[in-house]
Amino acid sequence: MVGNKEKIEELFATWLAQNAPSAHLSELYFCYSEIEAYCLKIKVLRKPLFETIDLDIIKRVQKTVTESRIFQLSHKKQMRKIVTAAQYYKAFVKSLVAQETNTTELSISQTMGDTSSDGKPCEVTQRKEIALSENKKEDNVLIIDFCHINSFAYTKPVSFSYFGDEQTGISNWTQLYVKVLVCLSEDYPDEFLRMYNTNISGGRRIDFGSPKASDKMNAPKKVSDNFYVETNLSATDIVMKIRLLLDRCNVDYENLEIRYIKIESMQCTEPSLVENASKRAASATKNTMSAMVTTDTGNYKAIFRNWLLHDQYMAERSAQSYSSAITNCEQLASRLGLKEIRLYGADRVEAQRVVDQLRQTTEYWEVNASQHNRYNAAITKYLLYLQSSDRQETTACVASKNKEPEQQGTDFDRFFEDEKYDLLYKELKKKGITTLEELNEVNLWSFMNLHQLYSIQQRLAISTELTAKLRNTEKENDEQNTSVYEIHYNGGVYKGASPSKAFVAFLTAVSTRYPMKFRTLLNVYNPESQKIVVSRYDYGNTKLRLMNPEAYIDSDLSLEQVQQDIAWIIKRCDVVPQDYSVEEKTKSVEMPQRKPTDRLTKDLQKVAETPATSISPALRQEAEDYLIQCDLTGATYEELQNKLHYTMVGTKEIVEQSPHIIEMNRKLYHEEALVDFEEGADTLEAILDKLLKKNDGVATAKHLYEYACSEMAMFFNDNGITGQQSVYDLARHLFEKLKYHGKHYVFKSNMYISLPEYSADSVIDIVSKYAREKGATVTYDELVRYLAGLGSNTGNLRGLMRIDKEPVFLIYAENEYLLAELMHIDTDFLESIHCALRRLFEDTDGHIIPRNISESWYNLLPTLPACLPWTPMLLQQLIRFYPDELEARTIIAMESQNSNTLHAMFVEKDSWIQDFRDVVAVYLHNEMPSRYEFEAEELRGILVDAGMISGNQLIYNMPNALGGDPRFLWDSDGNHVKVRI
């Protein structure tokens, strides 16, 4: 061949136009200039690329651009196109070599004639005849569509083209499989090494391996000297394996074209098929049933497609693509051997189980990535379709009819015997919750929100009813226990069925007696036990809950641990006396209930459930008469105390016990003194109900005051009620003290009003509730708008949310957050991340730049709520809060950078890389070992390109970030640095 550059380039342009998609030609040409420039620079090429037709040199070029980290970093956005371009040029060079060989053979055949010396056709003539016979079949030749793989039974491969390199003479699928593997393994040896002795579909049988591993294969075939493949596969399985390999090697489907023909016409002449006629007749019934199922599936598919068209306003093509994707997911589930595979025709719960199983497999995410997220988008739409209101009603009917008779006698079933709980009952059973103990760990409101059960009003009512019913059941069970644990302190006795439950009773009393001191205990470590005693959060949903303030303790404390924690609490609260005891006692059936009679219990009547201090009815009547005389002027506590000649504690007790005395803004009134009191109470009730319904169970004093001023202006004017605090106090009197019309709401911090199950006490409680019910990420602006709508304070919101301080809200992206409890972070969750990080660090020498982590690696991590994709920022947050569990650390460029900054590097916990200066030193040593001097902005630009920093980070600040280190010697102006590594 003539090595002339212009001629080779012209030949290549013609060849490429025939073998590559026309839409990609201009992009590919640009890639060749980049490949040539780099390979000439590092002397892999000795002359321009289009003057080089040595196949070995071109293979070295391809290996260089795919394995050089420097080239990858500087061309990371173009790498896929560059690798494809290199593949095409290698295939072109191969075709030139083949053309030379054919030319030589042709000249020999012309010299020798078309027959050999023995009169038989020569080899070249035979190949020509085979090619002619194949061309005759061209009209029947089909091409595999890797995006829509169907059955390949009764088919035969003819040829395939890999990056334009045509290979013919294929006689069966096994032969094609081996030849495709030869091509892929030559170009992607490292990827194949990772797949050694594994099954790429997730099964148990080994797909690829060494000669030793081939002993375990049923039908091994040799691909290369040290590489064998299992070929005991059907034609359809082979095509599926090839598609998975293309995805693993990041090869576009269009670069491998497999041609095949159907051989259905041959079936009539094959004796084996005649012999099997009786078997086909015997399976007629089975085929009929299959046809019925297929017809039903087609109906479900058509209904879903119509829903996409008319309810979601999708284009015809998109709706067809999504509906087909669901069928493909069913086929994938079947190939993976999942227990449940049906999506079409399944109810929402069954479909969710199939989806959950699929999303736990690597194959699903690989295929989904190859389809540009089509499968995941289609599944999300399908689950939304199943959650539509008319299908919910159908599910409710099925749930009420399908309770299994053998389960109806259990305590759990009797707990849900009312028909209105049927839908919730069925959903809980589907999720494997079948006992009252398991139910006790479930937040019913969140559960019903998550699974879209009932309307908002029904959820509120059912959640309240079942929570109260569950508490009564638990109390009855505790009373029946043969063992009881008692904490004796200051003459009081606090009991529970376990040490932890007795501890809850004790803490409840302490929190009421010493509210301010108790709050100082929250999230504080006990230095003796080396753990938090009272936590603000229950991340694993395994702790016992205190109601006021909302806090949590471990549910499995021993007697010794409780004793240790009580001693610490008494000391920290600085209370007397300090003597206490914790005992385990055995109850007999006749054992009388011991009633506490201590001073502490008397001060905590509601908590300890002891009778209230006896107040003389005459004294209470005197107080009420006095306040009636005061009319709308009212009286202070001091004025009422002087009138009664009683103690201040006793005076407050009278006010507390009297249903007719109202405290508003530190003054006392009798309800009869207020004009149209009942009418005002009814109006305030309607306003508060509206606010709680609108805001899903939470309201603020400011919001209540604004609405009340609009609708109760005359009532306020007639009674001289002014100010936000007075309206809040009036509402508290009605719905906390009187439980007006049977409604009981919780009032906290002179600001928040909520349903009992929420007990909102702060901004973080409100935003946590909002995020919990949304079930996905929330943005900063979204939370500000929500709080502003409630009339709540939005100043220092990030500080109140404990962003980057505690794992309550985790940063998902810039100004976007994910509630940690939605992730169900437990030991298994962290261990899964730990294993994935370990694999990542093994491949990257124990450190990696977060922006360089492959998207496919994130598929190894646990599934996030609402099927959210993982982000480097979210992973960074988990590493920061759980470094010991994950055995990893993050390294930030400068500590002064804000919380939205993605850090420079993730490293192993015991890595020698300690700070940003080490990170930069490692990078320069690996990627630029011959560079010793940089301008400050030049070095910053290199770090931006490497992904360690972004945008304008560290601009004019490089000397500070890399200062104080003898490896980086800066000039006096901080504009130039000499590197000594």
Side-chain angles (χ1 to χ4, degrees):
M1 286 293 297
V2 180
N4 184 281
K5 178 182 178 182
E6 289 76 12
K7 185 173 181 181
I8 295 176
E9 189 168 357
E10 181 181 344
L11 286 172
F12 177 63
T14 303
W15 181 92
L16 190 64
Q18 295 172 350
N19 292 280
S22 57
H24 297 173
L25 291 177
S26 59
E27 296 175 348
L28 292 173
Y29 280 123
F30 174 77
C31 294
Y32 292 118
S33 61
E34 297 291 318
I35 294 172
E36 182 179 87
Y38 182 74
C39 290
L40 285 172
K41 179 180 177 181
I42 63 173
K43 297 183 172 52
V44 172
L45 284 174
R46 299 292 179 179
K47 53 186 177 179
L49 180 66
F50 291 130
E51 290 184 17
T52 306
I53 57 172
D54 185 313
L55 187 57
D56 291 334
I57 293 177
I58 297 304
K59 286 181 178 180
R60 285 202 298 273
V61 168
Q62 182 190 16
K63 185 175 181 181
T64 298
V65 299
T66 55
E67 296 182 3
S68 170
R69 293 181 64 188
I70 295 177
F71 187 80
Q72 289 175 1
L73 286 172
S74 57
H75 299 82
K76 57 186 177 182
K77 293 184 178 179
Q78 307 161 271
M79 273 309 296
R80 185 163 186 151
K81 297 186 183 75
I82 288 174
V83 170
T84 301
Q87 289 276 29
Y88 274 121
Y89 192 70
K90 188 182 80 170
F92 166 70
V93 173
K94 279 185 178 181
S95 71
L96 291 181
V97 175
Q99 187 177 349
E100 284 187 343
T101 303
N102 291 338
T103 302
T104 304
E105 289 179 348
L106 183 61
S107 63
I108 292 172
S109 66
Q110 289 173 345
T111 303
M112 297 178 60
D114 288 341
T115 60
S116 60
S117 58
D118 58 0
K120 296 179 179 179
C122 69
E123 184 180 350
V124 175
T125 303
Q126 289 176 338
R127 282 208 298 268
K128 288 165 64 178
E129 290 173 354
I130 292 172
L132 286 172
S133 66
E134 292 293 347
N135 288 336
K136 290 178 183 178
K137 299 177 182 178
E138 191 69 31
D139 291 340
N140 299 323
V141 171
L142 303 172
I143 297 175
I144 289 177
D145 180 4
F146 286 108
C147 295
H148 302 90
I149 294 179
N150 298 312
S151 172
F152 289 91
Y154 302 113
T155 62
K156 174 187 174 183
V158 175
S159 63
F160 74 92
S161 172
Y162 177 69
F163 283 95
D165 182 13
E166 184 82 15
Q167 297 206 30
T168 58
I170 307 295
S171 60
N172 56 61
W173 286 104
T174 298
Q175 184 186 6
L176 177 134
Y177 188 32
V178 173
K179 288 196 172 188
V180 169
L181 287 176
V182 170
C183 296
L184 289 171
S185 61
E186 285 180 357
D187 292 339
Y188 303 96
D190 293 339
E191 191 63 43
F192 272 77
L193 279 175
R194 295 189 187 99
M195 294 186 285
Y196 255 36
N197 301 331
T198 64
N199 185 297
I200 60 174
S201 300
R204 296 183 179 179
R205 193 169 62 175
I206 294 175
D207 280 331
F208 317 112
S210 60
K212 185 177 180 180
S214 68
D215 295 339
K216 301 178 182 178
M217 298 179 185
N218 295 326
K221 292 288 184 182
K222 184 177 180 180
V223 177
S224 62
D225 290 339
N226 198 37
F227 182 49
Y228 284 77
V229 60
E230 172 64 80
T231 61
N232 184 24
L233 301 166
S234 68
T236 307
D237 289 338
I238 286 175
V239 176
M240 285 298 303
K241 297 282 186 187
I242 291 174
R243 183 173 73 174
L244 287 174
L245 289 169
L246 293 178
D247 294 337
R248 287 279 183 95
C249 298
N250 209 21
V251 176
D252 290 334
Y253 294 159
E254 61 194 23
N255 296 324
L256 176 65
E257 190 175 280
I258 299 177
R259 303 175 189 86
Y260 69 99
I261 59 173
K262 292 185 177 181
I263 54 176
E264 293 174 344
S265 59
M266 300 171 59
Q267 296 176 37
C268 299
T269 62
E270 292 186 9
S272 59
L273 295 179
V274 176
E275 293 171 4
N276 290 332
S278 60
K279 295 181 180 179
R280 291 199 301 271
S283 62
T285 303
K286 181 178 179 180
N287 293 339
T288 302
M289 293 302 295
S290 299
M292 290 173 64
V293 173
T294 304
T295 303
D296 288 344
T297 300
N299 291 338
Y300 287 122
K301 182 177 179 179
I303 294 170
F304 175 51
R305 187 173 66 84
N306 288 334
W307 180 81
L308 291 172
L309 288 170
H310 303 300
D311 285 36
Q312 301 296 300
Y313 305 105
M314 275 193 173
E316 174 68 35
R317 185 173 179 180
S318 298
Q320 182 64 42
S321 175
Y322 275 35
S323 57
S324 298
I326 300 302
T327 303
N328 294 341
C329 287
E330 290 180 325
Q331 295 171 353
L332 177 59
S334 177
R335 288 195 300 273
L336 295 177
L338 302 184
K339 293 181 179 179
E340 297 178 277
I341 63 173
R342 189 177 65 150
L343 289 172
Y344 279 130
D347 63 23
R348 183 180 51 76
V349 177
E350 293 170 351
Q352 184 68 61
R353 282 204 302 271
V354 176
V355 171
D356 290 343
Q357 292 179 60
L358 275 174
R359 285 173 173 164
Q360 290 173 8
T361 65
T362 305
E363 288 76 9
Y364 168 80
W365 292 109
E366 289 173 346
V367 175
N368 180 64
S370 70
Q371 293 290 305
H372 307 292
N373 202 44
R374 182 170 71 102
Y375 283 12
N376 217 29
I379 281 176
T380 301
K381 285 290 186 185
Y382 187 64
L383 293 177
L384 181 63
Y385 155 70
L386 293 177
Q387 288 173 358
S388 59
S389 59
D390 54 335
R391 292 186 63 82
Q392 282 292 346
E393 292 171 4
T394 303
T395 305
C397 294
V398 174
S400 64
K401 295 177 181 178
N402 290 344
K403 287 189 180 179
E404 300 175 6
E406 63 273 16
Q407 296 178 336
Q408 291 179 357
T410 66
D411 291 339
F412 182 80
D413 295 318
R414 286 194 293 272
F415 190 80
F416 290 97
E417 59 188 358
D418 195 317
E419 290 184 2
K420 64 183 176 182
Y421 304 140
D422 279 344
L423 188 55
L424 175 60
Y425 169 86
K426 187 70 173 180
E427 195 72 29
L428 289 167
K429 298 281 274 190
K430 291 284 188 182
K431 295 300 180 183
I433 300 168
T434 58
T435 66
L436 293 179
E437 290 74 14
E438 293 169 338
L439 181 65
N440 201 34
E441 302 300 323
V442 176
N443 184 319
L444 292 175
W445 170 257
S446 299
F447 185 87
M448 288 185 285
N449 276 340
L450 178 64
H451 298 285
Q452 296 291 307
L453 305 179
Y454 309 105
S455 65
I456 294 293
Q457 296 90 334
Q458 288 175 311
R459 289 178 210 166
L460 290 173
I462 290 175
S463 175
T464 303
E465 292 170 10
L466 291 183
T467 300
K469 190 175 178 182
L470 197 59
R471 286 175 182 165
N472 292 335
T473 302
E474 185 178 0
K475 183 177 178 181
E476 292 172 3
N477 292 338
D478 287 348
E479 291 175 353
Q480 294 173 2
N481 288 339
T482 56
S483 295
V484 64
Y485 296 84
E486 297 180 350
I487 298 174
H488 296 260
Y489 176 69
N490 196 22
V493 181
Y494 307 95
K495 300 178 181 180
S498 68
S500 295
K501 290 183 178 179
F503 192 35
V504 167
F506 171 79
L507 289 175
T508 304
V510 173
S511 67
T512 308
R513 179 72 178 271
Y514 308 105
M516 300 308 296
K517 291 181 178 180
F518 185 81
R519 289 177 184 275
T520 65
L521 304 175
L522 301 181
N523 274 13
V524 177
Y525 276 92
N526 180 350
E528 295 183 10
S529 62
Q530 293 295 312
K531 66 181 183 64
I532 292 176
V533 177
V534 186
S535 173
R536 279 298 302 268
Y537 311 103
D538 181 13
Y539 298 116
N541 198 27
T542 59
K543 297 178 180 289
L544 296 181
R545 181 181 180 185
L546 285 78
M547 297 301 294
N548 186 19
E550 184 174 354
Y552 301 88
I553 68 164
D554 291 340
S555 59
D556 55 353
L557 296 174
S558 65
L559 281 172
E560 293 73 18
Q561 289 173 317
V562 169
Q563 289 173 339
Q564 192 178 51
D565 291 340
I566 291 175
W568 176 74
I569 288 172
I570 292 174
K571 181 179 179 181
R572 188 172 181 86
C573 290
D574 192 25
V575 296
V576 290
Q578 297 189 356
D579 297 332
Y580 67 92
S581 66
V582 182
E583 302 174 359
E584 178 181 5
K585 294 194 173 183
T586 303
K587 295 193 306 184
S588 64
V589 178
E590 296 80 17
M591 177 179 169
Q593 293 296 319
R594 182 176 174 184
K595 295 183 179 180
T597 57
D598 59 295
R599 295 196 312 274
L600 181 59
T601 305
K602 289 179 181 178
D603 288 341
L604 309 172
Q605 296 159 18
K606 291 186 177 180
V607 176
E609 298 182 357
T610 57
T613 305
S614 177
I615 298 293
S616 168
L619 195 59
R620 188 171 66 185
Q621 187 63 48
E622 183 180 352
E624 293 176 358
D625 292 343
Y626 171 70
L627 291 175
I628 291 175
Q629 294 174 10
C630 293
D631 200 30
L632 291 177
T633 304
T636 63
Y637 273 103
E638 289 77 9
E639 291 171 342
L640 180 59
Q641 177 192 7
N642 293 333
K643 175 65 177 177
L644 300 177
H645 304 290
Y646 203 48
T647 64
M648 178 57 73
V649 172
T651 302
K652 290 184 176 181
E653 191 69 32
I654 292 171
V655 173
E656 180 66 26
Q657 291 188 16
S658 174
H660 305 296
I661 298 178
I662 306 171
E663 178 185 353
M664 288 191 292
N665 201 13
R666 296 186 298 277
K667 293 196 72 174
L668 305 173
Y669 304 86
H670 195 284
E671 64 179 31
E672 292 183 7
L674 299 182
V675 178
D676 298 327
F677 173 73
E678 289 188 2
E679 181 181 341
D682 291 341
T683 306
L684 193 60
E685 176 188 15
I687 293 171
L688 194 49
D689 285 350
K690 185 190 303 181
L691 287 176
L692 292 173
K693 180 179 178 181
K694 176 184 177 183
N695 300 314
D696 294 332
V698 177
T700 61
K702 181 179 178 182
H703 222 189
L704 175 64
Y705 178 64
E706 290 172 350
Y707 273 72
C709 284
S710 174
E711 298 186 26
M712 301 178 65
M714 185 175 296
F715 177 80
F716 290 166
N717 183 65
D718 291 345
N719 294 289
I721 297 176
T722 58
Q724 175 178 303
Q725 187 62 49
S726 294
V727 177
Y728 183 84
D729 288 340
L730 177 59
R732 176 158 50 191
H733 170 79
L734 291 169
F735 302 106
E736 187 174 66
K737 182 177 180 180
L738 298 185
K739 298 180 177 57
Y740 193 68
H741 289 163
K743 296 177 180 178
H744 177 214
Y745 302 139
V746 177
F747 293 73
K748 293 286 186 70
S749 305
N750 278 334
M751 173 59 68
Y752 304 106
I753 310 166
S754 62
L755 296 172
E757 56 265 34
Y758 300 140
S759 189
D761 195 16
S762 61
V763 169
I764 194 170
D765 290 337
I766 293 177
V767 296
S768 296
K769 173 185 173 298
Y770 176 79
R772 188 181 302 117
E773 291 172 0
K774 184 177 180 182
T777 59
V778 292
T779 65
Y780 179 80
D781 292 339
E782 178 184 355
L783 292 177
V784 168
R785 288 194 300 270
Y786 176 69
L787 291 173
L790 289 176
S792 183
N793 176 35
T794 59
N796 189 29
L797 180 56
R798 291 186 181 88
L800 295 173
M801 294 170 64
R802 309 300 294 157
I803 298 297
D804 222 24
K805 299 293 190 298
E806 295 178 17
V808 182
F809 280 91
L810 301 179
I811 303 174
Y812 180 79
E814 185 174 359
N815 294 324
E816 188 174 0
Y817 311 102
L818 181 62
L819 184 64
E821 71 176 67
L822 293 175
M823 300 171 66
H824 303 295
I825 300 174
D826 56 15
T827 304
D828 292 339
F829 183 92
L830 294 174
E831 180 59 27
S832 178
I833 299 176
H834 174 233
C835 292
L837 282 172
R838 192 166 55 205
R839 285 183 58 179
L840 180 67
F841 288 141
E842 286 173 357
D843 293 339
T844 57
D845 298 326
H847 59 270
I848 190 167
I849 298 170
R851 291 182 177 88
N852 293 343
I853 296 177
S854 167
E855 289 185 7
S856 61
W857 176 82
Y858 287 107
N859 294 334
L860 302 175
L861 302 181
T863 304
L864 291 178
C867 302
L868 291 167
W870 277 85
T871 64
M873 182 65 77
L874 181 61
L875 180 61
Q876 172 178 296
Q877 287 276 286
L878 290 169
I879 293 175
R880 278 176 62 81
F881 286 119
Y882 303 99
D884 296 331
E885 292 84 349
L886 302 180
E887 294 187 343
R889 293 183 286 113
T890 70
I891 295 178
I892 192 171
M894 291 187 70
E895 291 297 333
S896 59
Q897 291 178 311
N898 67 38
S899 59
N900 283 320
T901 302
L902 188 61
H903 293 186
M905 186 170 280
F906 296 164
V907 301
E908 293 178 311
K909 183 182 178 182
D910 56 356
S911 172
W912 66 270
I913 302 175
Q914 295 296 316
D915 56 26
F916 185 62
R917 294 167 296 187
D918 292 337
V919 171
V920 177
V922 168
Y923 178 76
L924 294 179
H925 179 266
N926 290 340
E927 306 298 341
M928 299 182 177
S930 59
R931 287 289 304 272
Y932 302 106
E933 296 187 26
F934 300 88
E935 296 298 323
E937 186 55 26
E938 177 193 10
L939 180 56
R940 196 189 75 83
I942 291 172
L943 300 184
V944 170
D945 290 339
M948 295 183 198
I949 56 178
S950 66
N952 291 325
Q953 290 178 13
L954 300 187
I955 193 167
Y956 311 127
N957 219 359
M958 288 293 290
N960 293 329
L962 298 176
D965 190 313
R967 293 173 293 185
F968 301 94
L969 304 177
W970 292 89
D971 63 8
S972 58
D973 295 329
N975 294 325
H976 188 85
V977 62
K978 293 183 178 180
V979 181
R980 298 291 182 265
I981 301 175

